């Protein structure tokens, strides 16, 4: 049984009578909520009236409910705390669906509060009624419909517990308007009892010993680290273990930042647009230590050619992720941090110098390089300069597609919780609202949103939110006038038949558009303007800044594993020949 | 291969659709499902039959365990167990065939639970294959309607000691 006593405001007497809405807000505060991302509506009026009287609970008014879900997701990824969303019934609730699915795929803790029609009207196709619990059932870790005002407190406590522990994920709570109006008792103590939910934290010691023994025999070890390392706050342990074992580290997209890319042992990202060396090292390794990763198809490519020479140790919080696609020889269920700590105490340093010099040679021969197709700016070149100016504590939120992969390849992440990206669902439109959530969660860090002209327009209304709250997010808009990644696939696999990927004819003037929102905006077309304009943008501190970089229209992200191919069969830029000769 | 799983869960809000939705959402086969009412300990027992090899069944069991309301999942397939299904079979029966139908029902240890002017309803219990056979035998008379439960199953006494194939995830 999981029993958790929640701290209560001292002033509250035992079992005080309150409205459902008051109990809800007090329970959120009890769980440590400081910010809600929301959008009001008919059935939420009572709750918003309580928020009006609760200035200590910050409410961020987004401009679309999808933005609320992504912003809460961004907030959660940078703080490690559950992001809280409050939206109205019907369309308000359904607008969060993409954001919930995004968080579910990437194991991000969210508590999504949806208004609902009166419990007596449920099922009668009432105005703004939607079965949001039913709609979101496959994309939530758990969900609730509260029918009794006396259950609000324990439901909120359970929801936060479920969202944040184990493999984190979104929890949805549906709140009928009559339950929010009803009077109930607020109790100074509440406890969580979930006999069916007991996530295992520490790994099984015999399995850890087995893993240590296997690692001690390794000649060509590789560590494959995913987002679970960041969730478990295990970056330090991972780094120490890699250095003890002299084992190179490849990370997934969501694992970027778990291990410093500046470290000589870093292989960078692996997978479809990963580094050639990272994929080859995984193919050649004799022991693969997978931590907090789930062998996603974008990582493995063709399964029967993935890590065929390796014995696999798989550490993961979720037993269902282990041996799902790749059989683990040594499975260990639990949080990465205690397990890596235990491994650190057990393993002995390895001499892998031959393996490391092989890897160093590969890195030299196979860098990630691209080839602009016209005289415009090169996106990788722009991103390298932005990264150089912004520094390592910058938080980067990306959109999805070429901008995302270029960011993953060229930014050089060194710290956990500095990259926010929709890895699993691949949600275009994620970047800007996630950056807003990050700016609110970590006001001490610079926040950059790397986006493209496609993704930016998918949630561009959130510029208003950023202006409203004076959030100095730096939006790096890589405008190539295309849905770049889809166009790249059409280029490579469909004989350049660019079916409906050209956005240029309808694209707005992004500068005037951003300025009309009240943002600072500048367009850059020449290489020598890149640095001065970024520096000028950084002088502006009280509003979002948009820099539109007009980049090469048909520059492809390279290297690349074609869909269904083995990760060792990578396409590389033509220019790679020049590197090798 | 056909597999029988027993699932104990807290039948809280939306728990049953969460279990069945797992099968449709992840492409698992759900052949039959049999759910009882809540017992004194607050748990509900569900017995389901599915198809798959060992690794697929392991995935199914693990996914069921991820559900917050699920307390335990046991694979009964390899363990000696008692499995029963119940079917109500309504057979066309003008007076002249009534006698034959009653005799046939006796062969399957069925009971006549309703007899009207034009039809007889037979209750048959047993393993799925026995029910299939019974329905087959009644077909020549004209089966009007069949209502079948899913499989309900329990481990046999001695099996409790050996535990058979009982899979309890979380012990890795």
């Amino acid at each position: 049984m999981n029993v958790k006593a929640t701290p209560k405001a001292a002033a509250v007497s035992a079992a005080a009578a309150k409205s459902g809405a008051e109990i809800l807000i007090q329970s959120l505060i009890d769980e440590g909520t400081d910010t809600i991302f929301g959008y009001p509506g008919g059935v939420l009026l009572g709750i918003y009236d309580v928020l009006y009287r609760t200035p200590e609970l910050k409410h961020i008014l987004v401009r679309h409910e999808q933005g609320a879900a992504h912003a809460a997701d961004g907030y959660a990824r940078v703080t490690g705390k559950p992001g809280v969303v409050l939206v109205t019934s019907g369309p308000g609730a359904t607008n969060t669906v993409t954001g919930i699915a995004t968080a579910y795929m990437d194991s991000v803790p969210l508590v999504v509060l949806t208004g609902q029609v009166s419990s007596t009207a449920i099922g009668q196709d009432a105005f703004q009624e939607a079965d949001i619990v039913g709609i979101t059932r496959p994309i939530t870790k758990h969900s609730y419909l509260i029918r009794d005002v006396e259950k609000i407190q324990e439901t909120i406590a359970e929801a936060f517990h479920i969202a944040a522990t184990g493999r984190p994920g979104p929890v949805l709570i549906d709140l009928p308007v009559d339950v929010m109006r009803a009077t109930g008792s607020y109790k100074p103590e509440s406890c969580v009892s979930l006999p069916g939910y007991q996530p295992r934290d520490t790994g099984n010691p015999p399995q850890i010993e087995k893993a240590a023994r296997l690692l001690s025999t390794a000649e060509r070890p590789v560590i494959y680290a995913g987002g679970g390392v960041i969730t478990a706050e295990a970056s330090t342990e991972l780094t120490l273990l890699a250095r003890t074992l002299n084992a190179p580290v490849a990370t997934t997209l969501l694992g970027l930042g778990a291990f410093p890319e500046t470290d000589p042992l870093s292989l960078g990202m692996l997978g479809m647009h990963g580094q050639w060396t990272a994929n080859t090292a995984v193919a050649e390794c004799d022991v693969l230590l997978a931590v907090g990763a789930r062998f996603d198809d974008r990582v493995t490519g063709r399964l029967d050619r993935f890590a065929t020479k390796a014995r696999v140790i798989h550490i993961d919080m979720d037993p269902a992720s282990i041996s799902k696609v790749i059989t683990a020889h040594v499975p260990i269920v639990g949080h990465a941090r205690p397990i890596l700590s235990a491994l650190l105490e057990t393993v002995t340093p390895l001499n892998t110098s031959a393996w490391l010099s092989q890897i160093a040679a590969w890195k030299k021969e196979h860098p990630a390089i691209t080839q602009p197709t016209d005289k415009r700016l090169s996106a990788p070149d722009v991103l390298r300069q932005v990264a150089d100016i912004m520094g390592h504590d910058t938080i980067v939120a990306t959109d999805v597609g070429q901008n995302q992969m270029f960011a993953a390849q060229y930014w050089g992440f060194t710290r956990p919780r500095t990259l926010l990206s929709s890895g699993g669902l691949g949600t275009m439109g994620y970047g800007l609202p996630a950056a807003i959530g990050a700016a609110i969660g970590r006001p001490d860090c610079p926040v950059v949103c790397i986006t493209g002209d496609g993704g930016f327009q998918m949630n561009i209304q959130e510029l208003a939110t950023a202006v409203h709250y004076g959030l100095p997010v730096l939006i790096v808009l890589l405008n190539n006038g295309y849905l770049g990644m889809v166009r790249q696939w059409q280029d490579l696999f469909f004989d350049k038949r660019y079916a409906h990927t050209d956005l240029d004819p309808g694209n707005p003037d992004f500068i005037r558009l951003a300025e009309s929102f009240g943002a600072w905006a500048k367009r850059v077309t020449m290489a020598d303007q890149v640095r001065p304009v970024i520096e000028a943008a950084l002088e502006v501190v009280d509003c979002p800044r948009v820099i539109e970089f007009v980049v090469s229209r048909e520059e492809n992200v390279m290297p690349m594993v074609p869909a269904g191919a083995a990760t060792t069969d990578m396409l590389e830029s033509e220019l790679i020949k020049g590197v090798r000769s | 291969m056909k597999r029988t799983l027993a699932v104990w869960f807290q039948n809280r809000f939306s728990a049953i659709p969460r279990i069945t939705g797992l099968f449709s959402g992840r492409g698992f086969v759900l052949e039959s499902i049999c759910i009882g009412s809540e017992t004194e300990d607050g748990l509900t027992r569900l017995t389901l039959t599915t198809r798959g090899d060992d690794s697929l069944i392991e995935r199914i069991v693990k996914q069921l365990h991820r559900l917050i309301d699920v307390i335990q999942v046991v694979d009964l397939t390899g363990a000696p167990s008692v499995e029963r299904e119940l079917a109500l079979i309504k057979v066309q029966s003008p007076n002249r065939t009534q006698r034959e139908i009653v005799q046939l029902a006796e062969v399957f240890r069925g009971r006549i639970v309703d007899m009207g002017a034009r039809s007889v309803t037979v209750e048959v219990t047993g393993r799925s294959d026995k029910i299939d056979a019974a329905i087959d035998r009644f077909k020549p008379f004209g089966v009007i309607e069949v209502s079948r439960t899913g499989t309900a199953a329990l481990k046999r006494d001695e099996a409790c000691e050996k535990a058979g194939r009982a899979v309890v995830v979380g012990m890795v």
Side-chain angles (χ1 to χ4, degrees):
Chain A
M1 186 181 286
N2 304 294
V3 179
K4 192 177 66 161
T6 46
K8 299 293 163 202
V12 178
S13 61
K18 283 175 181 285
S19 73
E22 287 170 331
I23 296 172
L24 173 77
I25 296 303
Q26 186 58 50
S27 304
L28 292 175
I29 292 170
D30 293 341
E31 292 298 327
T33 306
D34 53 22
T35 308
I36 292 178
F37 298 89
Y39 203 97
V43 296
L44 291 186
L45 285 166
I47 296 171
Y48 271 87
D49 198 49
V50 178
L51 281 176
Y52 191 77
R53 292 181 262 132
T54 318
E56 66 270 30
L57 186 50
K58 197 194 298 173
H59 177 278
I60 302 297
L61 176 64
V62 295
R63 295 317 194 253
H64 186 289
E65 289 89 348
Q66 184 186 353
H70 291 323
D73 170 312
Y75 173 94
R77 291 194 209 215
V78 297
T79 61
K81 295 188 341 187
V84 180
V85 179
L86 176 62
V87 294
T88 195
S89 62
T94 57
N95 275 345
T96 63
V97 168
T98 304
I100 295 172
T102 303
Y104 183 72
M105 287 290 268
D106 289 349
S107 308
V108 176
L110 292 188
V111 173
V112 182
L113 307 162
T114 53
Q116 183 54 280
V117 300
S118 172
S119 55
T120 54
I122 288 177
Q124 297 184 20
D125 303 320
F127 176 66
Q128 293 196 328
E129 180 185 357
D131 174 13
I132 194 62
V133 167
I135 291 167
T136 57
R137 196 178 290 121
I139 52 168
T140 47
K141 188 172 171 185
H142 200 56
S143 46
Y144 296 89
L145 169 71
I146 303 184
R147 286 183 175 271
D148 176 1
V149 66
E150 299 297 342
K151 296 275 187 199
I152 294 171
Q153 226 181 322
E154 70 175 65
T155 305
I156 296 292
E158 279 187 20
F160 274 80
H161 178 66
I162 291 170
T165 55
R167 179 179 178 178
V171 176
L172 184 137
I173 307 174
D174 211 11
L175 304 165
V177 61
D178 55 325
V179 178
M180 292 297 103
R181 267 197 302 259
T183 303
S185 52
Y186 174 82
K187 300 164 283 294
E189 290 295 325
S190 72
C191 76
V192 173
S193 166
L194 293 164
Y197 179 68
Q198 292 169 10
R200 193 186 186 113
D201 277 348
T202 55
N204 188 358
Q207 291 296 103
I208 294 172
E209 276 168 38
K210 225 163 134 185
R213 276 201 302 277
L214 181 54
L215 283 169
S216 70
T217 65
E219 288 173 7
R220 302 183 310 279
V222 167
I223 298 175
Y224 150 43
V229 175
I230 294 172
T231 304
E233 309 282 358
S235 299
T236 308
E237 288 75 9
L238 176 79
T239 307
L240 289 173
L241 184 68
R243 288 178 185 158
T244 306
L245 293 171
N246 293 305
V249 181
T251 74
T252 65
L253 174 66
L254 295 188
L256 285 170
F259 187 77
E261 291 195 87
T262 43
D263 192 294
L265 288 171
S266 171
L267 296 168
M269 185 172 73
L270 81 171
M272 182 171 271
H273 287 293
Q275 302 293 329
W276 189 97
T277 303
N279 284 336
T280 305
V282 169
E284 293 299 319
C285 72
D286 60 354
V287 175
L288 182 66
L289 173 60
V291 195
R294 60 183 174 87
F295 296 87
D296 179 81
D297 56 86
R298 285 295 189 266
V299 161
T300 62
R302 213 177 116 175
L303 277 174
D304 60 355
R305 300 264 306 275
F306 180 79
T308 48
K309 299 173 184 172
R311 306 275 293 170
V312 175
I313 302 165
H314 191 177
I315 301 169
D316 202 279
M317 191 61 234
D318 181 4
S321 286
I322 293 180
S323 297
K324 183 175 68 175
V325 282
I326 294 282
T327 304
H329 301 95
V330 184
I332 310 177
V333 176
H335 257 296
R337 192 171 173 178
I339 295 170
L340 291 178
S341 293
L343 272 177
L344 260 176
E345 286 171 20
T346 329
V347 295
T348 45
L350 293 179
N351 179 1
T352 58
S353 49
W355 176 227
L356 293 180
S357 38
Q358 170 68 76
I359 283 168
W362 284 335
K363 277 187 187 173
K364 219 168 162 187
E365 286 171 23
H366 295 276
I369 44 173
T370 63
Q371 198 170 1
T373 54
D374 48 38
K375 297 268 185 252
R376 296 189 188 189
L377 297 169
S378 161
D381 188 47
V382 169
L383 290 179
R384 265 192 294 248
Q385 293 192 60
V386 180
D388 184 45
I389 296 169
M390 297 301 292
H392 290 298
D393 59 346
T394 302
I395 293 166
V396 177
T398 77
D399 240 286
V400 166
Q402 287 190 323
N403 65 82
Q404 176 188 36
M405 290 298 113
F406 281 140
Q409 291 178 336
Y410 295 100
W411 188 270
F413 292 92
T414 57
R415 294 180 193 175
R417 300 196 185 281
T418 56
L419 170 63
L420 320 179
S421 197
S422 171
L425 197 66
T427 307
M428 282 176 68
Y430 172 81
L432 176 57
I436 288 171
I440 287 157
R442 290 296 304 270
D444 52 322
C445 292
V447 177
V448 173
C449 166
I450 296 171
T451 186
D453 47 310
F456 190 38
Q457 290 183 77
M458 280 207 179
N459 270 318
I460 199 163
Q461 77 286 345
E462 298 308 325
L463 263 182
T465 309
V467 169
H468 183 155
Y469 297 97
L471 303 173
V473 174
L474 178 66
I475 296 156
V476 174
L477 168 60
L478 302 170
N479 183 0
N480 58 12
Y482 275 121
L483 288 173
M485 187 58 90
V486 183
R487 186 212 53 76
Q488 172 169 341
W489 283 53
Q490 290 171 332
D491 175 356
L492 296 170
F493 311 117
F494 292 86
D495 263 339
K496 289 186 186 273
R497 292 188 298 278
Y498 294 162
H500 308 289
T501 39
D502 189 354
L503 297 179
D504 211 36
N507 268 349
D509 178 336
F510 286 105
I511 304 308
R512 282 167 59 206
L513 179 64
E515 284 173 350
S516 77
F517 274 102
W520 181 95
K522 284 276 179 296
R523 180 179 293 120
V524 176
T525 55
M526 308 292 285
D528 59 359
Q529 297 169 344
V530 173
R531 187 169 281 269
V533 173
I534 298 168
E535 281 164 355
L538 295 181
E539 300 291 317
V540 183
V541 292
D542 54 355
C543 73
R545 301 148 300 180
V546 178
I547 309 179
E548 177 193 6
F549 296 94
V550 180
V551 296
S552 172
R553 292 214 73 196
E554 302 191 12
E555 187 169 17
N556 286 341
V557 180
M558 287 292 161
M560 174 183 191
V561 180
T567 51
T568 45
D569 294 336
M570 291 194 93
L571 303 177
E572 292 180 274
S573 162
E574 289 292 312
L575 297 178
I576 204 86
K577 288 169 191 151
V579 174
R580 266 178 266 172
S581 61
Chain B
M1 173 185 184
K2 186 181 155 186
R3 311 289 283 253
T4 308
L5 303 180
V7 181
W8 285 264
F9 67 104
Q10 288 183 302
N11 198 356
R12 306 202 300 177
F13 170 69
S14 200
I16 292 169
R18 228 174 253 124
I19 292 169
T20 54
L22 184 70
F23 281 77
S24 57
R26 293 194 179 261
F28 304 145
V29 174
L30 185 54
E31 285 200 332
S32 78
I33 183 165
C34 183
I35 307 170
S37 46
E38 192 178 287
T39 56
E40 279 167 16
D41 52 9
L43 296 186
T44 300
R45 182 192 171 110
L46 173 155
T47 312
L48 63 86
T49 55
T50 180
R51 284 190 180 275
D53 58 14
D54 283 350
S55 73
L56 184 64
I57 298 301
E58 189 184 332
R59 275 179 58 200
I60 293 174
V61 172
K62 283 174 167 177
Q63 289 294 343
L64 284 167
H65 259 283
R66 285 180 80 197
L67 300 176
I68 306 293
D69 293 327
V70 169
I71 308 290
Q72 200 188 8
V73 184
V74 174
D75 183 354
L76 296 172
T77 314
S81 61
V82 190
E83 291 190 4
R84 287 291 179 272
E85 197 176 318
L86 182 145
L88 296 171
I89 308 165
K90 189 187 276 182
V91 188
Q92 276 181 13
S93 171
N95 279 336
R96 60 186 165 79
T97 60
Q98 268 186 2
R99 203 184 165 77
E100 277 179 85
I101 289 170
V102 172
Q103 281 174 348
L104 186 55
E106 279 168 7
V107 172
F108 289 99
R109 295 190 192 168
R111 294 199 307 147
I112 308 298
V113 290
D114 185 45
M115 191 175 275
R118 282 178 295 275
S119 71
V120 171
T121 301
V122 186
E123 174 198 306
V124 182
T125 58
R127 297 182 66 102
S128 283
D129 48 359
K130 176 183 159 187
I131 309 276
D132 291 341
I135 293 168
D136 245 25
R137 302 308 301 159
F138 282 114
K139 269 186 187 157
F141 297 95
V143 172
I144 301 166
E145 208 179 350
V146 178
S147 174
R148 287 174 80 153
T149 66
T151 302
L154 282 180
K155 249 186 278 179
R156 288 187 187 276
D157 193 16
E158 63 269 32
C160 295
E161 299 294 317
K162 293 181 209 147
R165 269 179 175 277
V167 180
V168 183
V169 171
M171 307 310 257
V172 181

